[in-house]
Amino acid sequence: MFIYLENLDETEDIEKEIFLIPQPRYFKFKNFKKSKITEQSILLTDLEGDYSFIIEQFQEKLVFFGLKKEIEVQNVDDTNESSQIELFLKNNKNIFPDQLYNKILNEQNYIEQGYILISEESSIFIQAPSYHGIFYGIQTLIQLLNSSQDKLSVSEIGIIDYPALKIRGVSDDISRGQAPTVDHLKKFIKELSHYKINQYYLVYMTDMFNFSNHPEIGKDRGGYSKDDIIELQDFATKHFIELIPIFQTVGHWDNILHNPDYWKYGEFPGSNSLNIANDKIYELLDEMIGELSTAFKSEYFHIGADESWDVGKGGSSNYIENIGIEHVYLNHYKKIYDIVKKHGYKKVIIYHDTLCKYKEVLKGLPKDMIIMYWNYRTYKNYPILKKITKYGFSLIVSPSIIDYNRIFPSIDKYEKNISNLIKFGYENRAIGEVTSSWGDYRNKELRENRFYGFIFSAMIGWDPLKEINLMYFWKSLFLHFFGVIDTKLIHILSTFRSIQDRKLLFVRPTAYYNHFFAHPYSNNTKNHKKNIKTSKFDKLISDLNEVVKICEELEGKILRNKINIRNLAFIAKHKIFFCRKRLNSRSLVDFKYASEDYKDQKINEIRELVTDLTLLLEEYEFLWLECAKKEGFKSIKRSYLWLIKFYQEKIEQLQNNINWKNPNIPSELIYLDNESLHTAHTTYYKKVINIEGKIETAYLQVIAGTFAKIFVNNSYIGHTITRHSLNFIVIENNIQIFDIKECLKQGENEIRIENSDFIGGIAPINIYGEIELVNNERIRIITDKTWLATRILNENWRGVKSFGRPPKAIGGLYYPDFKNSLHSKENDALALLNSLVSRKSKKSFWILKLVFRLFYRFNILE
């Protein structure tokens, strides 16, 4: 197959530097001449009609580069019918070393994806054994043209190229709150195919596909229909990208198992994992995978199977005890393998982390399964990967662009992680690499910022052993992604890199959002003031303001992807606000005595913060809706509105000379003891509330640990599931509000919580309630050491223990707005304590308690 461009103009100049991503395996300048495509040029090709889209895409790019009309296309059935092509090939026979040329022509990756590109004597020739290779040759030609000053000329060169790794993919998290539109997914596919990415994984389709028999799955989440996927699949095919679902088949099911209708399939209500002792799950999985197979037509199907933390903690415990967890896992994986194969998929992929713990699983898995090894560290050596290869499996390595739960990807870390892991994988016979992006904790990150890391992985995956020139890469990226090379772009990325590498914000990247959205005046002690680090923030604000100014200038200069410049400006503005927030917070700690002028100055400062935060939210919403569906945005918007509310309350306090008020509810995190650690257990808590007077309203806010049933005067009023999770539905519903008015009476009222800790923690709960009487009297219900608890009903009730009130234990719980059904604002660490306890040894429990006592003393948490 070939594409031959003839009748090009000749010029004498040569480009000083040609920018290509990825760089070809073999590249040679021939002389100082250039060939220029004009409206009179002719394109000869033997491509069949079904692949005419390759030519159409090329024509679109030529018009973008400045041609006034599309060039003439002539179809040629046989290269021998064109004397010009035959003569061209004869004259260029010796451009490549014979030994190299003959070796490469027999490489399987060349046969499937390789190409030859030659530019000489007013002609350009691309030849490939496959359509895939022709497409990649065209992408290289487009980059050669884009590297020239006039965008239509190519230096006289010779390229012979093919990938070292057959698979070069990305996995894109669409399931944690931010669901991209189909058009935006197309943008990713189109852009990434230009850099020769050839697989695109959608994470996780388990609860983001509109299954016909399960309307509740993915409801109000922005889920994708069968038609959406088929449309996306057709688009991907025309860019030589395979669209592949990652469908979880054991863990990461908590978005679905949170729903009572699906509890029967899980280890326990709200479980992370399916109950693999229950044969009914295979009927469900068969049905769901079967329906996915009508939309996803790739040979590959990814069954996930990572991080199945809850297996054996509930419904499957006896089953596992009888036959052993390694045999349980092996049987499960084999059943899933058979289901996937049954529905036409030829290649089954599975994550490595759980199966690698058991030798029997590695021995017994079907050997044609492909294991995806993921690791996001910057190591140069990965022993577990070597362990996998000994068992004869095909292997894909999966690094990350390290953007999860942070305002901007950690560039330095992802460069090292991607480079090191892909190189190590290639040296240990990996067949490919798939670079991941994750949207932990509601996927707050701006999707557009994923491009840079994904494109970097495309370069490394094409030739992992090639020496990396980072400056060359970034210049190439700027040229092809934005259409210009401007040192100001380098300045922007260098500024962001420096902020992370030098820790200039004084917070860990993954803690940035928790600090950003934390109450600005949550603490009022000198120790807290010391912990708000703001050194050189004035200089940092100045530097970031310069970034915003540069972005505004660049938006008018760049030729492509202007929205990405707006995204970069937004990141700078976000960090500017963070700095100003911290400076303001620090200045108002222990604020007591000040002149009226100083107080007015602070009020005006806070008003400016409110104005800027409002503008920031508006811009964030605009950028979100440019790429993602509206579903999921409301959750994040709520955090911005909380912060605005906190500032407005502070203005009111200052205006009325009100001293600092603790914004956190007084309820403590209580538990019984640690006798039942690492085993599922139930704890009963109770508190008697006396009411004298007619009730106007009565509400109860409940945080469980992990599954709580709530009773008021023996009437069941509902349940709460509280888990530490990365997944959207769980963290959205970790706190529940109940209207308990109808269950209350005059006199004594008993509130009882039946709390089942299925993960083996300490079964902690946090309760806050308000009963408002007609006479305006208010009764508060709080958890503290006056509550009683027992493990066995009808036995002695004992006093509880406490981890103290927020923010010391779980990151801050501010007063709820019961009348508007708005529960306390929480952060991502809400249920982390119990999760940590469940995973640590009993001996280390006292260390955790000591750590939290230190948090009390030194006011470390906001």
Side-chain angles (χ1 to χ4, degrees):
M1 282 165 273
F2 70 90
I3 289 175
Y4 179 74
L5 285 153
E6 65 172 7
N7 200 25
L8 279 64
D9 285 353
E10 285 190 38
T11 62
E12 291 293 326
D13 191 24
I14 190 170
E15 299 302 328
K16 294 179 180 178
E17 195 169 10
I18 292 176
F19 297 98
L20 300 174
I21 303 177
Q23 292 175 274
R25 307 293 293 280
Y26 180 86
F27 182 102
K28 180 181 179 181
F29 276 112
K30 296 187 65 179
N31 53 45
F32 291 94
K33 293 182 179 180
K34 293 173 67 176
S35 301
K36 181 176 181 179
I37 301 174
T38 70
E39 285 83 358
Q40 287 71 47
S41 300
I42 298 173
L43 188 151
L44 305 174
T45 182
D46 64 348
L47 295 187
E48 296 175 359
D50 289 345
Y51 291 89
S52 61
F53 62 83
I54 298 176
I55 307 299
E56 292 168 4
Q57 292 171 20
F58 181 55
Q59 294 270 34
E60 288 177 9
K61 187 60 69 172
L62 291 178
V63 172
F64 177 78
F65 283 156
L67 279 190
K68 295 179 181 178
K69 64 175 184 177
E70 294 184 351
I71 60 176
E72 181 183 347
V73 178
Q74 295 181 6
N75 289 94
V76 179
D77 294 331
D78 192 325
T79 56
N80 292 326
E81 292 181 20
S82 173
S83 58
Q84 301 101 312
I85 297 173
E86 187 176 355
L87 180 62
F88 183 88
L89 290 173
K90 182 178 179 181
N91 292 339
N92 288 278
K93 184 178 181 181
N94 298 319
I95 188 172
F96 305 112
D98 287 341
Q99 188 175 0
L100 172 71
Y101 184 75
N102 293 328
K103 176 181 180 297
I104 286 176
L105 291 185
N106 294 315
E107 290 280 351
Q108 187 63 32
N109 285 358
Y110 174 80
I111 294 170
E112 294 180 4
Q113 300 181 43
Y115 64 93
I116 292 171
L117 190 154
I118 301 170
S119 169
E120 186 179 68
E121 296 179 356
S122 304
S123 301
I124 299 172
F125 180 72
I126 299 173
Q127 185 181 47
S130 67
Y131 294 110
H132 206 149
I134 289 289
F135 179 80
Y136 284 162
I138 285 290
Q139 304 315 306
T140 298
L141 175 56
I142 289 169
Q143 292 191 13
L144 288 168
L145 294 169
N146 198 36
S147 294
S148 68
Q149 292 294 320
D150 62 13
K151 304 299 182 187
L152 292 169
S153 299
V154 178
S155 301
E156 295 204 349
I157 56 173
I159 293 174
I160 186 165
D161 200 14
Y162 69 99
L165 291 174
K166 177 182 178 180
I167 293 170
R168 302 161 313 283
V170 301
S171 67
D172 194 359
D173 192 340
I174 61 168
S175 69
R176 297 221 167 98
Q178 185 177 176
T181 63
V182 171
D183 284 343
H184 199 256
L185 289 171
K186 287 180 179 179
K187 176 181 178 179
F188 264 69
I189 288 168
K190 183 177 181 180
E191 286 287 349
L192 295 175
S193 70
H194 181 59
Y195 304 98
K196 304 181 176 71
I197 290 291
N198 66 349
Q199 286 189 350
Y200 193 88
Y201 293 76
L202 294 179
V203 185
Y204 298 115
M205 293 312 299
T206 324
D207 61 290
M208 288 302 290
F209 186 81
N210 297 335
F211 294 99
S212 56
N213 293 330
H214 304 278
E216 291 300 313
I217 293 180
K219 184 180 179 181
D220 301 324
R221 298 277 316 284
Y224 300 90
S225 68
K226 177 180 175 180
D227 289 342
D228 289 337
I229 298 301
I230 291 174
E231 178 184 345
L232 198 59
Q233 175 106 20
D234 291 343
F235 186 83
T237 299
K238 291 183 177 180
H239 291 82
F240 292 88
I241 282 183
E242 288 186 271
L243 190 67
I244 302 169
I246 299 184
F247 177 86
Q248 287 288 356
T249 53
V250 55
H252 284 293
W253 262 71
D254 37 358
N255 276 343
I256 297 174
L257 298 178
H258 201 280
N259 185 330
D261 292 341
Y262 292 86
W263 285 356
K264 60 188 176 184
Y265 297 112
E267 287 280 350
F268 51 81
S271 169
N272 154 281
S273 305
L274 289 167
N275 175 7
I276 53 183
N278 180 3
D279 286 339
K280 293 292 184 182
I281 70 167
Y282 300 107
E283 296 176 11
L284 176 65
L285 292 171
D286 187 9
E287 176 195 342
M288 295 172 79
I289 292 171
E291 189 165 355
L292 283 174
S293 72
T294 65
F296 288 93
K297 297 300 182 181
S298 169
E299 290 186 327
Y300 295 86
F301 190 93
H302 198 312
I303 66 170
D306 62 315
E307 299 180 330
S308 49
W309 295 309
D310 291 342
V311 168
K313 293 184 176 180
S316 70
S317 58
N318 292 334
Y319 177 52
I320 288 173
E321 187 175 344
N322 289 335
I323 71 171
I325 192 167
E326 66 279 8
H327 297 295
V328 170
Y329 269 126
L330 180 58
N331 291 342
H332 178 72
Y333 296 150
K334 284 182 174 179
K335 288 177 181 178
I336 300 301
Y337 171 89
D338 290 340
I339 290 172
V340 173
K341 288 280 189 172
K342 165 188 167 183
H343 290 292
Y345 292 103
K346 297 179 180 178
K347 299 172 182 178
V348 183
I349 306 173
I350 185 172
Y351 283 125
H352 86 283
D353 55 306
T354 301
L355 66 87
C356 281
K357 297 175 183 176
Y358 310 104
K359 187 183 294 184
E360 290 78 4
V361 176
L362 286 167
K363 285 181 179 179
L365 278 182
K367 294 306 176 188
D368 65 340
M369 287 187 80
I370 301 169
I371 296 179
M372 184 176 285
Y373 173 83
W374 60 271
N375 193 307
Y376 310 147
R377 305 288 185 177
T378 57
Y379 307 142
K380 291 188 176 180
N381 187 40
Y382 302 86
I384 295 177
L385 189 148
K386 280 194 169 185
K387 174 184 175 182
I388 297 171
T389 60
K390 292 179 182 178
Y391 288 89
F393 294 99
S394 294
L395 182 75
I396 295 173
V397 294
S398 183
S400 172
I401 62 170
I402 311 184
D403 63 330
Y404 40 86
N405 198 31
R406 56 196 77 200
I407 185 68
F408 195 75
S410 295
I411 301 174
D412 184 66
K413 286 186 177 180
Y414 80 57
E415 286 173 346
K416 292 174 182 175
N417 172 232
I418 291 171
S419 302
N420 292 346
L421 181 54
I422 294 177
K423 179 180 179 182
F424 192 85
Y426 177 67
E427 291 173 340
N428 287 274
R429 303 190 300 280
I431 62 172
E433 68 88 11
V434 174
T435 298
S436 66
S437 170
W438 297 105
D440 303 357
Y441 306 115
R442 298 186 178 93
N443 209 340
K444 299 176 284 291
E445 301 74 32
L446 293 170
R447 285 182 47 78
E448 295 283 348
N449 294 324
R450 298 178 178 182
F451 275 117
Y452 315 116
F454 282 161
I455 294 170
F456 182 79
S457 76
M459 178 184 73
I460 303 299
W462 190 263
D463 190 356
L465 300 184
K466 186 180 285 291
E467 186 177 347
I468 302 169
N469 182 328
L470 288 176
M471 185 56 72
Y472 174 88
F473 165 76
W474 285 105
K475 285 182 177 179
S476 302
L477 183 145
F478 295 148
L479 175 63
H480 300 307
F481 192 74
F482 292 116
V484 298
I485 297 178
D486 193 310
T487 56
K488 292 177 181 177
L489 286 163
I490 297 173
H491 174 76
I492 294 170
L493 271 296
S494 296
T495 301
F496 290 166
R497 185 194 290 262
S498 177
I499 290 170
Q500 286 195 346
D501 293 351
R502 296 166 58 195
K503 300 179 175 62
L504 298 181
L505 295 177
F506 300 104
V507 295
R508 291 180 294 106
T510 53
Y512 173 85
Y513 283 114
N514 280 349
H515 286 278
F516 184 90
F517 291 121
H519 197 298
Y521 315 110
S522 64
N523 211 316
N524 203 42
T525 68
K526 292 180 180 178
N527 278 334
H528 178 62
K529 188 171 185 176
K530 289 178 182 178
N531 288 324
I532 303 178
K533 302 286 194 301
T534 58
S535 174
K536 299 181 180 179
F537 268 21
D538 289 337
K539 172 66 165 57
L540 185 54
I541 290 171
S542 176
D543 292 343
L544 288 167
N545 274 320
E546 180 65 19
V547 167
V548 175
K549 182 179 177 181
I550 289 171
C551 288
E552 290 170 351
E553 294 173 2
L554 286 172
E555 197 173 345
K557 292 174 60 178
I558 65 169
L559 305 177
R560 302 182 64 242
N561 294 315
K562 291 179 182 288
I563 194 68
N564 291 78
I565 295 295
R566 288 198 63 175
N567 277 274
L568 294 175
F570 176 82
I571 299 301
K573 293 174 188 176
H574 212 275
K575 292 182 177 181
I576 289 168
F577 185 90
F578 177 88
C579 293
R580 292 176 57 215
K581 177 196 176 194
R582 303 283 279 187
L583 288 166
N584 172 263
S585 297
R586 197 171 192 275
S587 71
L588 286 171
V589 173
D590 200 27
F591 182 87
K592 294 179 181 176
Y593 309 106
S595 66
E596 286 297 313
D597 287 344
Y598 184 74
K599 186 177 73 173
D600 290 342
Q601 176 189 330
K602 287 299 164 185
I603 289 173
N604 289 332
E605 186 178 291
I606 297 170
R607 283 175 175 156
E608 288 178 8
L609 287 172
V610 171
T611 298
D612 290 347
L613 184 59
T614 303
L615 292 173
L616 204 63
L617 173 57
E618 289 173 359
E619 186 169 9
Y620 181 45
E621 184 169 15
F622 169 80
L623 294 172
W624 175 289
L625 295 175
E626 280 290 295
C627 63
K629 303 177 184 181
K630 64 180 181 180
E631 291 87 350
F633 181 75
K634 181 180 178 182
S635 169
I636 302 171
K637 181 178 182 178
R638 192 164 57 236
S639 294
Y640 285 88
L641 296 178
W642 269 109
L643 191 49
I644 290 171
K645 178 176 182 287
F646 298 151
Y647 280 126
Q648 291 170 337
E649 288 174 348
K650 191 64 175 180
I651 290 172
E652 185 178 339
Q653 289 174 13
L654 290 171
Q655 287 175 332
N656 294 297
N657 294 315
I658 299 172
N659 289 332
W660 175 83
K661 286 184 175 181
N662 190 334
N664 294 283
I665 59 175
S667 296
E668 299 176 11
L669 191 70
I670 62 172
Y671 65 103
L672 182 56
D673 53 39
N674 64 329
E675 295 173 1
S676 301
L677 287 184
H678 305 153
T679 60
H681 58 280
T682 298
T683 306
Y684 301 90
Y685 299 89
K686 73 174 181 178
K687 177 74 175 179
V688 175
I689 306 295
N690 190 56
I691 301 175
E692 295 181 1
K694 188 175 181 181
I695 300 169
E696 180 71 25
T697 61
Y699 298 96
L700 201 65
Q701 174 178 281
V702 181
I703 298 172
T706 54
F707 175 76
K709 294 180 180 178
I710 298 93
F711 299 85
V712 177
N713 294 326
N714 293 318
S715 295
Y716 174 70
I717 61 170
H719 73 272
T720 303
I721 298 172
T722 308
R723 295 287 309 273
H724 181 254
S725 175
L726 308 178
N727 296 318
F728 184 81
I729 295 294
V730 182
I731 57 178
E732 275 291 284
N733 291 280
N734 269 332
I735 304 176
Q736 293 294 318
I737 289 176
F738 301 95
D739 186 338
I740 61 172
K741 177 181 176 181
E742 299 303 319
C743 300
L744 296 174
K745 61 183 181 180
Q746 295 290 312
E748 290 189 348
N749 295 265
E750 183 186 77
I751 295 173
R752 180 162 52 87
I753 310 295
E754 180 184 322
N755 188 84
S756 298
D757 194 330
F758 293 107
I759 67 173
I762 55 171
I765 64 166
N766 180 281
I767 308 291
Y768 178 77
E770 291 180 359
I771 302 171
E772 188 175 344
L773 304 181
V774 173
N775 63 5
N776 293 324
E777 182 184 347
R778 182 168 296 182
I779 302 171
R780 281 185 174 175
I781 305 168
I782 63 172
T783 40
D784 56 20
K785 289 185 178 180
T786 64
W787 282 61
L788 298 175
T790 184
R791 291 271 155 74
I792 303 174
L793 285 176
N794 303 319
E795 291 196 3
N796 291 334
W797 291 77
R798 294 180 282 161
V800 299
K801 297 182 178 181
S802 170
F803 265 100
R805 61 179 284 176
K808 311 301 181 180
I810 46 180
L813 287 170
Y814 313 120
Y815 284 95
D817 181 352
F818 284 129
K819 290 182 180 178
N820 291 305
S821 300
L822 188 62
H823 64 64
S824 293
K825 180 196 172 298
E826 82 284 24
N827 73 17
D828 300 335
L830 175 69
L832 182 59
L833 172 63
N834 199 45
S835 182
L836 285 173
V837 171
S838 72
R839 298 182 188 185
K840 301 296 181 182
S841 68
K842 291 184 178 181
K843 291 181 179 179
S844 66
F845 182 60
W846 71 270
I847 299 176
L848 280 172
K849 290 193 289 186
L850 175 62
V851 168
F852 279 97
R853 287 196 183 104
L854 291 174
F855 285 167
Y856 270 105
R857 178 175 296 180
F858 297 108
N859 294 289
I860 293 171
L861 291 179
E862 288 187 84

